[in-house]
């Protein structure tokens, strides 16, 4: 069976260009290239994919939302915002879960392309892997060349509309806020080394401590989920490090850390303070209430969906600032009891598209 890739190779053009010519995209291709592609298709006997042409004409009312973990409240809140926005656009949402596997993420984009999805929203951090990023970028290019629309929630790395949380800036502000409670010795449960979100939040926290002239924290890497936080916290306790506050780079890791501390008889915040990042909805039931950086998760999902369904051609990047929320899990040193709940805005530094 002759594929679109065969035609592109024969014509000496990119896969995206071949798709624009043969699948009826509204994006223009030069006359010379168009003739070359059409000639190659005729010589090879390529048959046009009617489903892809339908996508190019924008006839589908299906929106694909790709998340990394449906059981993680962070992604559930974002998906909820996207679904609510899709309802307002009279769109139907197809939800896909990658289980934090970049290969599965690429496969889901290809599947949604084949299913004629009108738009695709991808949420979650990218992994620092040039090969995987290149493959995902190529898959998205084919999809967009056929008329599909894409929006990301995360790092601006793929040339698409992007909702970009200011992770580094929020973590820096958190470091300043906790230091303001009298803490000087920190540990960071930093998540995977090659995950951009985890790295940005770790770097921001380290920058904040450095700006204050405080010692570098103890850094422990681990999984970016509850079990990863628990394992990292257990490793930290085994190290016997002398710290007064632990920053977990997301809230679900902080929940795992809290479980580890309780199992070892370490009182939070009496003996050790703890902070997270995201302000997931389930924190309302956590005792002690968790200090964190609040992101408007549902709004981020809605914003990304709106970007994906808009008619703008040039990719846009929408930065989203966090808000530091000091709660009971961080104790004010030198004073009895725990800190009262307060909020402080994180720096809103524009992200250049």
């Amino acid at each position: 069976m002759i594929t679109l890739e065969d035609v592109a190779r024969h014509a000496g053009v990119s896969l995206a260009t071949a798709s624009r010519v043969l699948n009826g995209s509204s994006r223009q291709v030069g006359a010379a290239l168009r003739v070359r592609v059409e000639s190659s298709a005729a010589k090879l006997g390529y048959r046009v994919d009617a489903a892809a042409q339908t996508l190019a004409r924008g006839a589908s009312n299906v929106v694909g939302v790709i998340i990394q973990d449906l059981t993680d409240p962070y992604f559930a809140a974002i998906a909820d915002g996207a679904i609510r926005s899709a309802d307002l656009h009279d769109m139907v949402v197809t939800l896909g879960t990658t289980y934090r596997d970049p290969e599965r993420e690429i496969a889901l984009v290809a599947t949604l392309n084949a299913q004629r999805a009108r738009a695709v929203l991808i949420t979650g951090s990218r992994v620092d892997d040039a090969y995987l990023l290149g493959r995902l970028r190529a898959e998205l290019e084919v999809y967009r060349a056929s008329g599909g629309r894409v929006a990301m929630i995360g790092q601006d790395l793929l040339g698409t509309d992007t909702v970009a949380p200011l992770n580094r800036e929020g973590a820096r502000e958190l470091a300043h806020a906790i230091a303001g409670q009298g803490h000087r010795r920190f540990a960071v449960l930093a998540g995977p080394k090659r995950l951009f979100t985890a790295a940005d939040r770790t770097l921001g926290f380290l920058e904040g401590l450095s700006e204050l002239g405080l010692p570098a924290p103890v850094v422990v890497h681990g999984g970016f989920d509850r079990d990863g936080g628990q394992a990292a916290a257990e490793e930290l306790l085994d190290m016997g490090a002398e710290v007064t506050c632990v920053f977990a780079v997301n809230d679900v890791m902080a929940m795992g850390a809290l479980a580890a501390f309780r199992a070892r008889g370490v009182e939070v915040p009496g003996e050790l303070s703890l902070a997270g990042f995201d302000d997931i909805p389930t924190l309302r039931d956590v005792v002690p209430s968790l200090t964190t950086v609040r992101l408007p998760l549902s709004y981020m999902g809605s914003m990304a969906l709106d970007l994906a369904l808009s008619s703008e051609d040039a990719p846009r990047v929408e930065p989203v600032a966090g808000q530091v929320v000091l709660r009971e899990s961080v104790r004010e040193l030198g004073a009895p009891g725990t800190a009262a709940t307060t909020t402080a805005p994180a720096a809103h530094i524009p992200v250049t598209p």
Side-chain angles (χ1 to χ4, degrees):
M1 178 180 176
I2 301 300
T3 67
L4 187 60
E5 290 183 353
D6 296 327
V7 175
R9 191 179 303 111
H10 186 274
V13 300
S14 70
L15 185 59
T17 296
S19 178
R20 290 189 182 104
V21 173
L22 298 175
N23 287 330
S25 172
S26 59
R27 300 188 181 188
Q28 296 301 310
V29 175
L33 286 181
R34 179 174 293 278
V35 169
R36 191 192 307 173
V37 171
E38 291 174 343
S39 176
S40 292
K43 289 178 181 178
L44 296 175
Y46 175 74
R47 301 184 67 178
V48 174
D49 185 348
Q53 285 193 329
T54 300
L55 171 61
R57 292 190 294 270
S60 171
N61 72 332
V62 175
V63 173
V65 176
I66 299 175
I67 63 174
Q68 294 186 351
D69 185 352
L70 186 59
T71 65
D72 187 326
Y74 173 90
F75 294 107
I78 287 176
D80 177 71
I83 291 169
R84 291 178 184 275
S85 180
D87 286 344
L88 297 177
H89 289 282
D90 294 323
M91 294 287 171
V92 176
V93 169
T94 295
L95 188 64
T97 304
T98 69
Y99 305 108
R100 303 184 188 277
D101 180 357
E103 293 282 358
R104 181 173 171 81
E105 184 174 62
I106 295 168
L108 283 171
V109 172
T111 298
L112 289 166
N113 189 359
Q115 292 177 347
R116 302 178 294 127
R118 176 76 166 274
V120 171
L121 189 163
I122 302 177
T123 180
S125 178
R126 311 269 65 76
V127 175
D128 186 7
D129 185 314
Y131 172 70
L132 288 173
L133 282 173
R135 288 184 55 207
L136 178 58
R137 187 180 293 110
E139 196 67 57
L140 292 174
E141 186 178 354
V142 171
Y143 172 66
R144 289 189 292 171
S146 298
R149 301 280 305 186
V150 180
M152 313 286 295
I153 297 178
Q155 295 76 33
D156 175 26
L157 297 172
L158 297 169
T160 67
D161 287 330
T162 303
V163 175
L166 299 182
N167 291 309
R168 186 168 170 177
E169 294 82 356
R172 183 190 298 125
E173 289 297 316
L174 180 65
H176 278 258
I178 298 176
Q181 299 294 101
H183 292 270
R184 297 294 180 268
R185 301 189 307 277
F186 295 86
V188 178
L189 308 186
K193 293 181 180 180
R194 300 180 69 186
L195 194 70
F196 281 113
T197 294
D200 285 345
R201 293 177 180 182
T202 300
L203 180 58
F205 198 82
L206 268 62
E207 288 175 342
L209 297 182
S210 177
E211 289 166 355
L212 295 169
L214 296 178
V218 177
V219 177
V220 182
H221 293 279
F224 202 57
D225 55 14
R226 182 204 174 277
D227 291 344
Q230 182 172 5
E234 290 170 350
E235 181 179 345
L236 175 66
L237 293 175
D238 291 340
M239 293 168 61
E242 294 185 2
V243 302
T244 63
C245 184
V246 175
F247 167 50
V249 294
N250 70 25
D251 288 341
V252 291
M253 288 183 68
M255 296 302 92
L258 183 61
F261 296 151
R262 284 176 173 165
R264 295 286 191 94
V266 177
E267 182 185 351
V268 176
E271 298 176 77
L272 189 61
S273 291
L274 177 65
F277 200 114
D278 292 326
D279 201 27
I280 55 178
T282 49
L283 289 190
R284 69 191 66 178
D285 299 320
V286 173
V287 178
S289 56
L290 185 70
T291 288
T292 189
V293 178
R294 177 183 296 152
L295 289 176
L297 301 177
S298 181
Y299 173 72
M300 286 161 51
S302 175
M303 180 192 301
L305 203 288
D306 290 344
L307 288 175
L309 294 177
S310 71
S311 58
E312 295 289 333
D313 289 331
R316 291 151 296 171
V317 177
E318 296 289 347
V320 177
Q323 183 183 44
V324 174
V325 183
L326 293 175
R327 296 193 180 109
E328 295 173 346
S329 67
V330 171
R331 180 185 177 202
E332 183 177 358
L333 297 186
T338 58
T341 299
T342 59
T343 61
H348 192 295
I349 301 175
V351 175
T352 302

